[in-house]
Amino acid sequence: DIQMTQSPSSLSAAVGDRVTITCRASQSISTYLNWYQQKPGKAPKLLIYDASTLYTGVPSRFSGSGSGIDFTLTISSLRPEDFATYYCQQSDSNPVTFGQGTKLEIK
Amino acid sequence: QMQLVQSGAEVKRPGTSVRVSCQTSGYIFSAYWMHWLRQAPGQGPEWMGCISPNTGETVYAQKFKDWVTLTRDPSISTGWMELTRLRSHDTAVYYCARDKSGSEGRIFDLWGRGTLVTVSS
């Protein structure tokens, strides 16, 4: 199975900050990497797929980059509604695997 | 409005089975694979498997292969996940999710609200 490792596991930031979350795959996955946002008690929401393609309706302050084994999710200017947990997920091969999550908290 | 509506929370005894339903609406059921995932408290999502809406072909994670069964009925745009031989560590929220790609692309763009399954004696 492909292991996905996110860092940091938690992050404190203020409204307006720029934040970056990283995700590393245990083997090359090309650009088969997706990012989700999850709020407490809710299902995950797709933000970015194929490493850098913004999903429909997702604000442009979210962006993704990377290929191979290293990927990043960047939020350019945090808004209050962005405080949540973020997961990366590889869609290269079965079984699909997720990172352990990055909890973004308000500073 | 596209949505996946899951059945309600369940409390089960160890060793029994649970069946969770996922009724879809607002899109063409036969055009998108359906995936099932679960999320234990404080953990990331865990993928269990997926099913083709047209052929019923299934793909399971090796971990779940012998004790999960995915089925679907295109006539009512609904899928089901049955998990057998339940144990306490199967306590989790179970989700159905649509595959964005129209095939087994493994990108989940639409999710149900989740079904909490609690396994307790």
Side-chain angles (χ1 to χ4, degrees):
Chain A
D1 299 1
I2 298 174
Q3 307 302 314
M4 306 301 294
T5 304
Q6 286 181 236
S7 61
S9 56
S10 64
L11 175 60
S12 293
V15 173
D17 283 355
R18 177 185 180 92
V19 299
T20 298
I21 298 168
T22 65
C23 179
R24 172 167 286 184
S26 61
Q27 65 188 68
S28 178
I29 57 171
S30 184
T31 56
Y32 296 109
L33 189 284
N34 313 304
W35 290 97
Y36 298 84
Q37 177 194 68
Q38 186 176 34
K39 296 183 178 179
K42 303 293 186 181
K45 289 186 176 180
L46 178 65
L47 296 175
I48 289 170
Y49 63 96
D50 293 343
S52 61
T53 304
L54 204 62
Y55 183 57
T56 304
V58 175
S60 59
R61 62 182 180 273
F62 291 92
S63 63
S65 65
S67 66
I69 63 170
D70 288 317
F71 302 87
T72 61
L73 171 70
T74 299
I75 309 172
S76 61
S77 180
L78 278 171
R79 293 179 60 91
E81 60 266 33
D82 299 336
F83 292 94
T85 300
Y86 293 84
Y87 294 98
C88 62
Q89 172 241 327
Q90 65 83 14
S91 48
D92 177 74
S93 60
N94 288 330
V96 165
T97 47
F98 288 78
Q100 80 279 15
T102 295
K103 187 174 184 180
L104 181 53
E105 299 174 305
I106 300 175
K107 183 184 287 184
Chain B
Q1 178 187 0
M2 299 182 294
Q3 58 181 351
L4 307 177
V5 178
Q6 297 186 221
S7 48
E10 303 261 13
V11 179
K12 293 291 183 178
R13 300 293 190 200
T16 63
S17 301
V18 68
R19 193 179 193 220
V20 178
S21 67
C22 177
Q23 183 173 27
T24 74
S25 61
Y27 70 91
I28 300 171
F29 178 80
S30 59
Y32 300 89
W33 281 58
M34 178 182 285
H35 295 257
W36 289 85
L37 306 95
R38 74 179 186 181
Q39 189 170 28
Q43 304 295 314
E46 181 178 29
W47 181 77
M48 302 173 71
C50 58
I51 184 166
S52 163
N54 289 319
T55 66
E57 175 190 355
T58 52
V59 179
Y60 296 106
Q62 185 67 30
K63 171 180 178 177
F64 294 99
K65 192 172 184 179
D66 294 330
W67 48 300
V68 166
T69 303
L70 304 182
T71 54
R72 97 282 180 242
D73 184 344
S75 69
I76 55 172
S77 302
T78 300
W80 293 268
M81 183 280 299
E82 182 173 26
L83 187 62
T84 60
R85 305 193 305 274
L86 289 167
R87 295 178 287 180
S88 59
H89 66 245
D90 294 318
T91 294
V93 176
Y94 288 77
Y95 293 101
C96 57
R98 188 181 78 167
D99 195 312
K100 174 188 175 300
S101 70
S103 62
E104 195 195 339
R106 313 179 192 97
I107 301 171
F108 314 125
D109 71 332
L110 188 63
W111 295 63
R113 289 189 174 183
T115 297
L116 175 62
V117 175
T118 303
V119 183
S120 174
S121 55

